[in-house]
C-alpha cells in the first residue's frame, strides 16, 4: 500500500508518501506560508529537492499542489492518484475521547472538533487538512493518529492535577501528554532492539527535540509523561519554560506590565534554553557557545540536562526500577555532550556510559557499557512511519 502521511499546521503542512510494504519513503516535503503566499518543497526519493513558489490561499490549494507534484509526469512518485491507498493524518489532541488511532468519519471529525479548545492552535489546523484531503480524495480512507492517544493509559494519580476536581469534571483539565506517536514507536523499538519483552519491561523514553518530553512505559503502557494539558509543562525546551512556579506568572505580569497572553507568549516562545542562554534554541549553536565558555550557554545546557535527569529519576521511582532508557529526536539522537551530562547523574543506578559508543548519532545503538545495570540506547524516532503503520493497520 502507498500511504500519504500528512501533518498539517496552521500555515504549513508536512507530507510523506510511504510504501507500507517496503517502508520506503517515495517522496516527501512541505508546504509553507499557506494563506500568506505559498511555497512547495517536494523531493522524490533519490532526487534533488524542488521548490515551487505559488499562491496557496488555503490548505486545499496546498494539498492540491502536493497531489499534483506526486503525479507529475516527470518527477512524480506515482502515476495516478489511484496509487494512493490511504491517508494518515497527525492529530494533536484527542482529549479523553481517543485512546488509539481511528478511521476518520464525519462523526469522528465532529468529536475531534470538540477537543479544539484543548489545542486551539493545532486541532483546527489538523481538521482543515483532513477536510481538504477528503474533498480532493473523497474515496480514499483517512485515519487520524493522535499525539495524545498513547498516554491515555496513564493512571488517575498521574494525570490529575492538584486543582479543584470540578475543573477536571467541567473542563477536562488534566495531564494528556504529547509526542505519543514517538514515545510509542521508540519504546516498542527499544524493546525489540534490546530483546526485551515489551509487555514485561520498564522503559523510559526521552524525546529531546525542540519540543521535549519524557515518558515512563511500564509493560508496554505509558504510566506517566512530562507534558501536561498543553506541551508547555515538563522539561526546559528550545523556547518553552517547562515546569515553573505558577506564581511567577503573576509576578512577571506585574513587573513587565503584561496580560495573560503576554505572559504565555514569554513562557512558550521566549524562555527555555533560548531565553536562558540568549544565544539560540538550537543545540548546535548552544554546543559551540558552551565550548567557547559562554557562561549563559553553559548554564542553559546544565539546566536542560539536570531537568531531564530529575524526570528520569522520578520515573524510575514511578515504575520501581528501569530496564532501559532511550534517547530520541533531534537532540536525543545527535547531541552526545548533553546525553553524557544527563547520564552523569545516574551512578546510583549503576549506569555506566560507553564514551566511544556515545559519539554515534542517528542510528539504533547502545551507549552504555556491557556491565551497566541499566541499558541506555539511542533510537531514532520516525513519527511518519509510525503514522503509516497505524493507518495500514486500520484500513487493510
Ligand atoms: P522538533 O521536531 O521538535 O522541531 P527536532 O527533533 O528536529 O525538533 O530537534 C531539534 C533540535 O535538535 C535542535 O535543538 C537541534 O539543534 C537539534 N539537532 C538536530 N540535528 C542535530 C545535529 N545533527 N547535531 C546536533 N543537534 C541537532
Amino acid at each position: 500500500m502507498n500511504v500519504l502521511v500528512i501533518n498539517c499546521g496552521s500555515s504549513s503542512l508536512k507530507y510523506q508518501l510511504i510504501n507500507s510494504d517496503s517502508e520506503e519513503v517515495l517522496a516527501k516535503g512541505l508546504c509553507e506560508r499557506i494563506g500568506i503566499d505559498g511555497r512547495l518543497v517536494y523531493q522524490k526519493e533519490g532526487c534533488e529537492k524542488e521548490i515551487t513558489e505559488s499562491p496557496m490561499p488555503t490548505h486545499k490549494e496546498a494539498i492540491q499542489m502536493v497531489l499534483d507534484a506526486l503525479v507529475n509526469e516527470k518527477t512524480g512518485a506515482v502515476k495516478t492518484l489511484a496509487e494512493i491507498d490511504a491517508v494518515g493524518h497527525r492529530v494533536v489532541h484527542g482529549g479523553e475521547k481517543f485512546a488509539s488511532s481511528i478511521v476518520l468519519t464525519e462523526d469522528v471529525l465532529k468529536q475531534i472538533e470538540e477537543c479544539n479548545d484543548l489545542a486551539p492552535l493545532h486541532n483546527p489546523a489538523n481538521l482543515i487538512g483532513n477536510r481538504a484531503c477528503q474533498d480532493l480524495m473523497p474515496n480514499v480512507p483517512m485515519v487520524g493518529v493522535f499525539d495524545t492517544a498513547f498516554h491515555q493509559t496513564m493512571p488517575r494519580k498521574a494525570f490529575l492535577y492538584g486543582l479543584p476536581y470540578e475543573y477536571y469534571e467541567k473542563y477536562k483539565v488534566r495531564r494528556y501528554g504529547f509526542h505519543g506517536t514517538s514515545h510509542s514507536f521508540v519504546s516498542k523499538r527499544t524493546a525489540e532492539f534490546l530483546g526485551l519483552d515489551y509487555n514485561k519491561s520498564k522503559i523510559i523514553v526521552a524525546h529531546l527535540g525542540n519540543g521535549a518530553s519524557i515518558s515512563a512505559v511500564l509493560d508496554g503502557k505509558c504510566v506517566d509523561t512530562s507534558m501536561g494539558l498543553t506541551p508547555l509543562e515538563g522539561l526546559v525546551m528550545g523556547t518553552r519554560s517547562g515546569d515553573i512556579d505558577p506564581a511567577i506568572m503573576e509576578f512577571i505580569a506585574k513587573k513587565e506590565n503584561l496580560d495573560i497572553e503576554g505572559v504565555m507568549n514569554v513562557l512558550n516562545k521566549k524562555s527555555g534554553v533560548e531565553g536562558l542562554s540568549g544565544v539560540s534554541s538550537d543545540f548546535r549553536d548552544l554546543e559551540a557557545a558552551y565550548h567557547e565558555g559562554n557562561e549563559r550557554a553553559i548554564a542553559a545546557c546544565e539546566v536542560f540536562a539536570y531537568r531531564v535527569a530529575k524526570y528520569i529519576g522520578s520515573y524510575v521511582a514511578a515504575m520501581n526500577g528501569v530496564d532501559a532508557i532511550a534517547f530520541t529526536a533531534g537532540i536525543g539522537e545527535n547531541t552526545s555532550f548533553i546525553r553524557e551530562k544527563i547520564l552523569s547523574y545516574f551512578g546510583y543506578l549503576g549506569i555506566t556510559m560507553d564514551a566511544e559508543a556515545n559519539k554515534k548519532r542517528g542510528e539504533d545503538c547502545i551507549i552504555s557499557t556491557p556491565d551497566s545495570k541499566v541499558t541506555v540506547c539511542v533510537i531514532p524516532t520516525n513519527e511518519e512511519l509510525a503514522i503509516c503503520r497505524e493507518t495500514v493497520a486500520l484500513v487493510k
Side-chain angles (χ1 to χ4, degrees), residues 36 101-102 121 128 155 189 308 314 354:
I36 306 166
S101 306
I102 189 162
L121 291 178
I128 290 171
R189 176 72 194 129
V308 174
S314 70
D354 178 336

Side-chain angles (χ1 to χ4, degrees), residues 324-346:
I325 298 171
F327 287 102
T328 196
I331 302 157
E333 291 167 28
N334 293 295
T335 312
S336 314
F337 92 109
I338 291 291
R339 291 196 298 248
E340 182 177 349
K341 265 191 187 306
I342 295 166
L343 292 177
S344 71
Y345 290 95
F346 296 114

